[in-house]
Amino acid sequence: MIQSRLFKLALAGTVLAALPTTAQAHRQWMTASSTVVSGENNWVTVDAAASNDLFYIDHRPLSAKPTVTTPDGETIEVANHAVGQMRATFDVHLQKQGTYRVAIVNQGVIGTYKQGGETKTLPRGTTRANLAERIPADATDVVTADNVSRNEIYITQGAPTEDIFKPTGAGIELVPMTHPNDLYAGESATFQFLREGKPTEGLTVTAIPGGIRYRDALQDMNLKTDGEGKVEITWPEPGLYWVNVTEGGDEDEDERPAPGGPPRGRMSYVTVVEVLAS
Amino acid sequence: MTQFRLTGMTVAALGTGVLLPAGAAAQTMDLTVAIPRLSVAEYHNPYVAIWLQQDGAPARTLAVWYDLDNREGGTKWLNEVRQWWRASGRSLRLPASGVSGATRAPGSHRVSFTAGRGGMPALAPGQYTLVVEASREVGGREQLRLPFTWNGTAVANARAQGRSELGLVTLSVKR
């Protein structure tokens, strides 16, 4: 009995730890009550969830507490963070002029090492912080790679600014040629994506308009980044769009280190942008 | 005397590179802007923005009518005048002298702008578009565009008829 209970607990732990990567079947998103605001001292409230239909709350919350970066690069706390059965919600207090970032970034480490002639895989839940304690002292041939999933949205009070888009080099990041809070129906936007700080060709970019529940066709736009890591997206209608960037290929295969080869980190990026009527 | 009344914002709104031709009298732009009377359960005067566009130049806000006396300074809803907010509003500091004004009730309003005062620049000969956009709380939004050519001497006229949130808008520019 005890054994079986432990097994269940372990299993539950696995499921939780795996959520950031296995929720691919369910789309993760954060939607802000407004993305473009005027005046000063505004509050914006945000829902955060993983769901099938965009943007309807039909599955699980994103329970991680997001980080807010102010237009001048300061990190502030979200207010009133509450995690419900199906969605999390929180408020962001905008006290500066310019563009804010709200982000949930999951960073994990995958990899292998050899111990006594046997190749072993790092357990799930390994991070840069706990990597040292998870590798036995007698391990050799340690090979690791980073898994980074980035879920970010942007909110602008006043005129848009670009300071928050300085790349950190971790995971897939957006460098906007067109500001994500300056999007209008019928116009196109150019976004550049960096993988570990470098413009990367061949990333898969999927944009899907919200409101899926009330139409038959998904209306997804599927693009690949060009040699400069750029894609151009033309917004057919005003509304919210889910924009997801992955490395392409078979996701399950990517998740595991190739047998005999070095492990390959898996990176993804997701945002929700608001396209205004022109 | 006029110079002393110019605020920093006004100077910025005047921008650069447009000089009043020597000896030219100040241009004036006379507008009529009609706000229709609507039969609705909840009515609030619309926010209205009036601005001037010219290809290759930043938009110049001539007037913005909003709830400038309210507790929050009235700026919270300015982004709802969304084309103006994008073209000019979001880079302005409000209230701006000679630009900000209170909302106006339904009726036809006459407004005049003189080059060099408020947000009105001196006009070099060329093609311009005057844009009037109205956005009403719990109501709709409408934008009218009035293209005109200013040749430096002849009176320039333009007009546009609104359908929902604006009525007739007329423009006349003269020296």
Side-chain angles (χ1 to χ4, degrees):
Chain A
M1 281 310 285
I2 288 172
Q3 244 179 343
S4 116
R5 241 181 112 154
L6 275 177
F7 177 72
K8 272 184 193 160
L9 278 175
L11 196 67
T14 306
V15 169
L16 278 179
L19 192 62
T21 47
T22 56
Q24 266 352 2
H26 298 97
R27 303 178 178 111
Q28 297 186 34
W29 47 263
M30 290 190 278
T31 54
S33 53
S34 293
T35 60
V36 172
V37 298
S38 58
E40 291 164 2
N41 217 21
N42 285 283
W43 285 91
V44 167
T45 191
V46 180
D47 283 336
S51 73
N52 277 334
D53 279 356
L54 299 167
F55 295 92
Y56 302 99
I57 294 159
D58 65 12
H59 185 53
R60 297 288 297 144
L62 298 185
S63 50
K65 197 171 195 178
T67 304
V68 177
T69 309
T70 65
D72 55 1
E74 196 191 329
T75 301
I76 59 168
E77 291 271 308
V78 300
N80 305 318
H81 187 242
V83 180
Q85 282 295 326
M86 300 175 77
R87 57 104 190 267
T89 180
F90 56 88
D91 300 333
V92 181
H93 193 189
L94 309 174
Q95 293 176 291
K96 291 173 180 166
Q97 295 290 304
T99 302
Y100 283 73
R101 176 180 55 222
V102 179
I104 297 174
V105 181
N106 284 299
Q107 285 183 280
V109 177
I110 57 168
T112 58
Y113 57 86
K114 282 188 178 158
Q115 191 178 28
E118 205 180 326
T119 300
K120 296 194 172 170
T121 304
L122 282 171
R124 279 187 183 276
T126 303
T127 62
R128 283 276 153 209
N130 64 21
L131 181 60
E133 69 202 45
R134 299 216 174 176
I135 298 176
D138 58 344
T140 59
D141 302 288
V142 179
V143 190
T144 64
D146 291 293
N147 268 345
V148 183
S149 73
R150 188 178 285 282
N151 182 350
E152 298 187 345
I153 57 168
Y154 314 102
I155 300 163
T156 295
Q157 177 167 258
T161 58
E162 298 194 344
D163 291 348
I164 56 153
F165 297 105
K166 281 195 197 97
T168 65
I172 296 175
E173 292 172 284
L174 168 69
V175 179
M177 308 288 118
T178 309
H179 196 288
N181 293 141
D182 199 17
L183 308 178
Y184 294 83
E187 296 185 5
S188 70
T190 302
F191 296 147
Q192 183 183 42
F193 292 101
L194 309 181
R195 185 188 185 280
E196 297 194 309
K198 294 184 206 75
T200 302
E201 185 172 3
L203 297 173
T204 300
V205 180
T206 305
I208 306 176
I212 291 175
R213 185 182 285 174
Y214 303 115
R215 63 175 187 256
D216 291 335
L218 189 57
Q219 296 177 1
D220 51 327
M221 296 180 275
N222 296 292
L223 305 149
K224 291 272 186 194
T225 54
D226 67 12
E228 295 177 303
K230 292 179 184 170
V231 286
E232 187 179 339
I233 303 173
T234 301
W235 315 103
E237 300 287 339
L240 297 180
Y241 287 74
W242 184 78
V243 179
N244 183 223
V245 185
T246 59
E247 298 182 275
D250 186 321
E251 283 162 358
D252 287 336
E253 199 175 291
D254 282 357
E255 203 168 351
R256 293 184 205 104
R264 183 159 170 241
R266 188 160 151 238
M267 316 218 160
S268 66
Y269 169 94
V270 63
T271 189
V272 174
V273 293
E274 184 175 25
V275 174
L276 300 176
S278 44
Chain B
M1 284 310 287
T2 311
Q3 279 153 323
F4 293 106
R5 302 213 325 263
L6 290 178
T7 62
M9 191 56 248
T10 314
V11 174
L14 290 174
T16 55
V18 184
L19 296 171
L20 203 60
Q27 298 136 354
T28 57
M29 179 188 286
D30 296 316
L31 302 180
T32 61
V33 177
I35 296 173
R37 188 169 302 279
L38 302 171
S39 177
V40 292
E42 181 184 350
Y43 182 82
H44 305 276
N45 291 343
Y47 280 21
V48 174
I50 302 170
W51 74 99
L52 195 59
Q53 287 186 337
Q54 187 184 23
D55 281 351
R60 315 293 185 96
T61 299
L62 305 184
V64 53
W65 301 339
Y66 62 105
D67 201 3
L68 80 176
D69 289 332
N70 94 351
R71 191 165 48 85
E72 294 155 321
T75 53
K76 179 174 163 63
W77 306 103
L78 282 174
N79 64 305
E80 306 267 316
V81 193
R82 61 173 184 261
Q83 291 308 314
W84 166 76
W85 183 249
R86 180 190 199 190
S88 175
R90 70 192 185 187
S91 51
L92 289 182
R93 186 163 308 197
L94 295 172
S97 170
V99 174
S100 294
T103 60
R104 304 205 180 191
S108 188
H109 301 276
R110 300 172 70 87
V111 209
S112 282
F113 303 102
T114 304
R117 292 203 198 152
M120 173 75 181
L123 302 181
Q127 310 271 347
Y128 296 86
T129 302
L130 182 90
V131 191
V132 180
E133 182 178 13
S135 182
R136 184 167 53 89
E137 184 178 352
V138 304
R141 191 199 73 99
E142 184 169 28
Q143 169 184 284
L144 292 178
R145 301 176 64 83
L146 288 73
F148 68 95
T149 302
W150 172 245
N151 72 5
T153 50
V155 176
N157 292 304
R159 59 196 281 135
Q161 176 66 49
R163 291 176 181 179
S164 53
E165 301 296 335
L166 287 167
L168 179 68
V169 175
T170 67
L171 164 153
S172 173
V173 182
K174 57 180 181 289
R175 318 176 22 167

